Amino acid sequence: MDNARSGPDRRTVLAALVVAVAYGLSGTIASAQTDPLPSWNDGAAKKAITNFVARVTTQGSADFVPPEQRIATFDNDGTLWCEQPFYFQLAFAFDEAKAMAPKHPEWKSEQSFKALLDHDQKALFATGEKGLLQIVMATHAGMTTDEFTKSVLDWMTVARHPRFHRPYDSLVYQPMLELLAYLRANGFKTFIVSGGGVEFMRPWVEKAYGIPPEQVVGSSGVVKFEASADGQPELMKLARVEFVDDGPGKPVGINRFIGRRPIFAFGNSDGDLQMLQWTTAGSGARFAGIVHHTDVEREYAYDRQSHIGKLDKAWNEAKRRGWTVVDMKQDWKTVFPEKP
Amino acid sequence: MDNARSGPDRRTVLAALVVAVAYGLSGTIASAQTDPLPSWNDGAAKKAITNFVARVTTQGSADFVPPEQRIATFDNDGTLWCEQPFYFQLAFAFDEAKAMAPKHPEWKSEQSFKALLDHDQKALFATGEKGLLQIVMATHAGMTTDEFTKSVLDWMTVARHPRFHRPYDSLVYQPMLELLAYLRANGFKTFIVSGGGVEFMRPWVEKAYGIPPEQVVGSSGVVKFEASADGQPELMKLARVEFVDDGPGKPVGINRFIGRRPIFAFGNSDGDLQMLQWTTAGSGARFAGIVHHTDVEREYAYDRQSHIGKLDKAWNEAKRRGWTVVDMKQDWKTVFPEKP
């Protein structure tokens, strides 16, 4: 009796447990059975990605890269989430400035603020980088880092995109979410390397992308350590640009924050060109990818002539060097996740 | 026969496998059976550390902290490795300058270089911060980041400490290596936050401490992205200080690189005071530790009067606020690892 009860059945259960645990630890067998990139249509882009990952993760392959060197960097605006009709961080700055305006009567004499408060978007953008920076500084400085974090999270909860009527942090690209998860499942460490403000991104990117704050590289303003009125230490955000993580600033930011050269990088505009050059100039297998916005129906279509996310020089170089260019309309089954 | 062969023995093996795997996954049962800090004498410091870790890692405890928020930051010089008779990075700069001197006859007219080449250490240090910075800049700029990394690794291989006659990267503190591993085994992410140069540390800290380059915060010089003579992109190190990660710079560096407030921090000097203040000013359970150098025989003894690693204001605040002060002589069974 005892033997019958504890016989094959228990052995089978135990064996299954061991096998299940072993599969769980390796992760590879289970994932080989399902498509890790279900929102990507079969095509050259998807194939280039999966081929690259297979090459660098196969033990004994000439292209094998040890896990600690599997650094992958992603631009944010236009690569991981939407950047139209203008950068979402600007939408945040505009909303914040409108809310703060009653306490700043002096703003009425400033062209940029006046245009903003008059809802004259054309005049607002006509004030150029200088005018927009004025609004960004007014809304990104003069508070502690903790206060700023709270204002970003509060805004993200209530603000809605003018065309899609969804929270901005839900306008992330489903295929790129899958790519991030796929890379991490294959031992990659995923980083954001964005021209956007690092303190604007950090509060929400962990939930949106599974990327923790310490893996976000971005532009920054000067921050000062000081004591509050009640003697508590705090970090004050000052109205002074410290670092612009765009164009040639991206490899500099990667070197400063990460200290290793990526083997995999993805961008969508000329602002990513130097990051892609820096990534592919390293020895061994390298991957450079570009998201080309070709989908006017589901998202937007823009490239060489666009003011935001201009893709011109980087496109030429991608063609010349055989980098992977993702055609959003052709390569992506879906663009955004199901409504949250 | 078959039943006898595949009976209890195989079941036992399978059961043992399952149990072993389960223990391996949880990690807690195995570690409870052995002392994770064998080089620490039993005493207040060790108890404070293990009590804190137990509090923040126990599910359901009022002080429980989710793993992703278990950020631990460590000063390097005098906290993780020796900093006497002077910062090891200075020893590197001196050796490099001596090797470069034949190509720089103009250095003979500079007080700091002259003193260095005359082996007049007193005169050398008498040139003060300005003179030393001259030597640091001459040896840390004017080359690519890749070239600098190589020079650090080459030096680390051949250079020997004047008193201990060992490679500098073997003069790390064994008890702190155990503390780093213990924290990581308990879900902490360990970072270096040092006044030392970030590019001087990154090439060797992964091997020495198990801390990857992307978890190193430090001082830095300006780096510029440019094309080499043959058109390859490269990062040039310029002779201009960009960021000093010391004193009030440490919380600023933590905010910039990590973007989260640590819950655990360790230092050894007044240069760490603001990092410890910033860490402990957060809500919930917090740990601040200071290494007090009291061991003239095995290492060095210094505090309030020392030029290097001065411990005065931070010591006062530690006493006032009940921070953990490690007495190297009393609390540490061994100081350095066995000879490599």
Side-chain angles (χ1 to χ4, degrees):
Chain A
M1 260 309 268
D2 188 65
N3 202 30
R5 273 182 57 218
S6 62
D9 282 359
R10 246 180 89 186
R11 283 207 303 278
T12 307
V13 169
L14 284 169
L17 258 172
V18 169
V19 169
V21 169
Y23 278 23
L25 286 175
S26 81
T28 51
I29 300 171
S31 68
Q33 295 170 337
T34 53
D35 182 353
L37 302 172
S39 299
W40 291 72
N41 286 316
D42 290 326
K46 182 174 183 173
K47 201 166 197 171
I49 292 169
T50 53
N51 279 354
F52 177 83
V53 170
R55 280 164 61 205
V56 298
T57 58
T58 303
Q59 288 267 7
S61 146
D63 293 327
F64 180 75
V65 176
E68 70 273 13
Q69 290 171 28
R70 294 181 201 156
I71 303 290
T73 56
F74 290 81
D75 169 56
N76 187 39
D77 297 307
T79 300
L80 293 180
W81 77 345
C82 179
E83 63 182 349
Q84 302 286 357
F86 45 78
Y87 298 131
F88 294 177
Q89 189 171 359
L90 270 187
F92 164 74
F94 295 162
D95 287 348
E96 290 291 293
K98 283 178 204 159
M100 292 161 70
K103 287 187 178 173
H104 294 272
E106 76 279 11
W107 284 356
K108 281 178 191 148
S109 58
E110 297 281 350
Q111 239 181 332
S112 56
F113 287 102
K114 189 175 179 305
L116 174 70
L117 300 173
D118 290 348
H119 304 279
D120 186 346
Q121 198 169 295
K122 203 179 156 195
L124 172 58
F125 281 96
T127 65
E129 201 177 312
K130 200 182 155 214
L132 297 177
L133 194 63
Q134 239 179 350
I135 295 175
V136 169
M137 282 302 177
T139 53
H140 286 63
M143 72 282 281
T144 69
T145 51
D146 287 348
E147 286 163 353
F148 182 73
T149 295
K150 188 180 176 303
S151 74
V152 172
L153 289 174
D154 287 351
W155 175 80
M156 205 57 96
T157 309
V158 298
R160 294 293 178 271
H161 187 274
R163 173 176 160 195
F164 297 110
H165 310 292
R166 294 168 53 150
Y168 286 95
D169 61 353
S170 79
L171 293 171
V172 297
Y173 302 132
Q174 176 64 27
M176 297 305 276
L177 297 182
E178 293 166 7
L179 175 56
L180 289 169
Y182 171 59
L183 291 173
R184 288 192 292 258
N186 280 282
F188 283 76
K189 205 163 176 176
T190 53
F191 289 81
I192 292 172
V193 177
S194 168
V198 68
E199 301 200 26
F200 173 74
M201 293 183 282
R202 281 176 168 156
W204 56 269
V205 293
E206 186 154 31
K207 203 173 139 208
Y209 304 130
I211 295 178
E214 60 269 24
Q215 286 164 223
V216 182
V217 181
S219 298
S220 55
V222 174
V223 162
K224 193 173 174 230
F225 179 82
E226 51 185 49
S228 69
D230 63 348
Q232 285 297 299
E234 58 186 23
L235 293 173
M236 282 299 293
K237 285 172 65 63
L238 308 188
R240 209 159 71 230
V241 173
E242 177 187 77
F243 177 60
V244 178
D245 188 53
D246 197 34
K250 289 207 174 188
V252 170
I254 288 170
N255 179 67
R256 180 185 303 180
F257 282 73
I258 308 175
R260 292 200 227 243
R261 197 192 292 243
I263 65 166
F264 185 108
F266 235 106
N268 79 300
S269 78
D270 286 359
D272 303 309
L273 174 59
Q274 288 85 355
M275 172 170 77
L276 299 173
Q277 288 174 331
W278 176 243
T279 299
T280 52
S283 60
R286 305 278 156 164
F287 183 95
I290 288 177
V291 175
H292 185 194
H293 294 262
T294 53
D295 197 330
V296 74
E297 289 188 14
R298 295 184 302 175
E299 204 238 12
Y300 296 91
Y302 56 100
D303 42 54
R304 293 195 197 276
Q305 308 300 326
S306 181
H307 284 293
I308 289 167
K310 180 179 182 174
L311 175 63
D312 183 36
K313 287 183 190 167
W315 198 5
N316 293 343
E317 185 137 343
K319 286 182 172 181
R320 196 167 63 81
R321 301 186 51 190
W323 293 346
T324 295
V325 179
V326 174
D327 181 318
M328 185 180 274
K329 193 172 175 182
Q330 300 297 325
D331 286 316
W332 288 0
K333 275 201 191 85
T334 55
V335 175
F336 302 122
E338 291 292 302
K339 288 222 175 188
Chain B
M1 257 310 265
D2 188 65
N3 202 29
R5 272 182 60 217
S6 63
D9 281 0
R10 248 181 88 187
R11 284 208 303 278
T12 307
V13 169
L14 285 169
L17 258 172
V18 170
V19 169
V21 170
Y23 277 24
L25 285 176
S26 80
T28 50
I29 299 170
S31 68
Q33 295 170 338
T34 53
D35 183 353
L37 301 172
S39 299
W40 291 72
N41 286 315
D42 289 326
K46 182 175 182 171
K47 201 167 196 169
I49 292 168
T50 53
N51 279 355
F52 176 83
V53 170
R55 280 164 61 207
V56 298
T57 58
T58 303
Q59 288 267 10
S61 147
D63 292 326
F64 179 76
V65 176
E68 70 274 11
Q69 290 171 29
R70 293 180 201 156
I71 303 289
T73 56
F74 289 82
D75 169 57
N76 186 40
D77 298 307
T79 299
L80 294 180
W81 75 345
C82 179
E83 63 182 348
Q84 301 288 356
F86 45 79
Y87 298 130
F88 294 177
Q89 189 172 359
L90 270 186
F92 163 74
F94 295 162
D95 287 348
E96 290 290 293
K98 282 179 204 160
M100 292 163 69
K103 287 187 177 172
H104 294 272
E106 76 280 10
W107 283 358
K108 280 178 190 148
S109 57
E110 296 282 349
Q111 240 182 332
S112 57
F113 286 103
K114 189 174 179 307
L116 173 70
L117 299 173
D118 291 346
H119 304 279
D120 186 346
Q121 198 169 297
K122 203 179 155 193
L124 173 58
F125 281 96
T127 65
E129 199 177 313
K130 200 182 154 214
L132 297 177
L133 193 63
Q134 238 177 352
I135 296 175
V136 169
M137 281 303 174
T139 53
H140 286 63
M143 72 281 282
T144 68
T145 51
D146 286 349
E147 286 163 353
F148 182 74
T149 295
K150 187 178 178 307
S151 73
V152 171
L153 289 174
D154 288 350
W155 175 81
M156 204 58 96
T157 308
V158 297
R160 294 295 177 268
H161 187 273
R163 174 177 159 195
F164 297 111
H165 310 293
R166 294 168 53 150
Y168 286 96
D169 61 354
S170 78
L171 293 171
V172 296
Y173 302 133
Q174 176 62 28
M176 298 305 277
L177 296 183
E178 293 167 6
L179 175 56
L180 289 170
Y182 171 59
L183 290 173
R184 288 193 291 257
N186 280 282
F188 283 77
K189 205 163 177 177
T190 53
F191 289 81
I192 292 171
V193 177
S194 168
V198 68
E199 301 199 27
F200 174 74
M201 294 183 281
R202 281 176 169 156
W204 54 270
V205 294
E206 186 154 32
K207 203 173 139 206
Y209 304 131
I211 295 177
E214 60 269 25
Q215 285 162 224
V216 181
V217 182
S219 298
S220 54
V222 174
V223 163
K224 194 172 174 231
F225 179 82
E226 51 185 48
S228 69
D230 63 347
Q232 285 298 299
E234 58 186 24
L235 293 172
M236 282 298 295
K237 286 173 65 63
L238 308 188
R240 207 159 73 231
V241 173
E242 176 188 76
F243 176 61
V244 178
D245 188 52
D246 197 35
K250 289 206 175 191
V252 170
I254 288 169
N255 178 66
R256 178 184 305 180
F257 283 72
I258 308 176
R260 293 200 226 244
R261 197 192 293 244
I263 66 166
F264 186 108
F266 235 106
N268 79 300
S269 78
D270 286 359
D272 303 309
L273 175 58
Q274 288 84 354
M275 173 171 74
L276 300 173
Q277 288 174 331
W278 176 244
T279 300
T280 53
S283 60
R286 303 280 156 163
F287 182 95
I290 287 177
V291 175
H292 185 194
H293 294 263
T294 54
D295 198 329
V296 74
E297 289 188 12
R298 295 186 300 175
E299 204 240 10
Y300 296 90
Y302 57 98
D303 42 55
R304 293 195 197 275
Q305 307 301 325
S306 181
H307 284 293
I308 290 167
K310 181 178 181 176
L311 176 62
D312 183 38
K313 286 182 190 167
W315 197 5
N316 293 343
E317 186 135 343
K319 286 182 170 179
R320 196 167 62 81
R321 303 186 49 189
W323 293 346
T324 295
V325 178
V326 174
D327 182 318
M328 184 180 275
K329 193 173 176 180
Q330 300 295 325
D331 286 316
W332 288 359
K333 275 201 189 86
T334 54
V335 175
F336 301 122
E338 291 293 302
K339 286 221 175 189

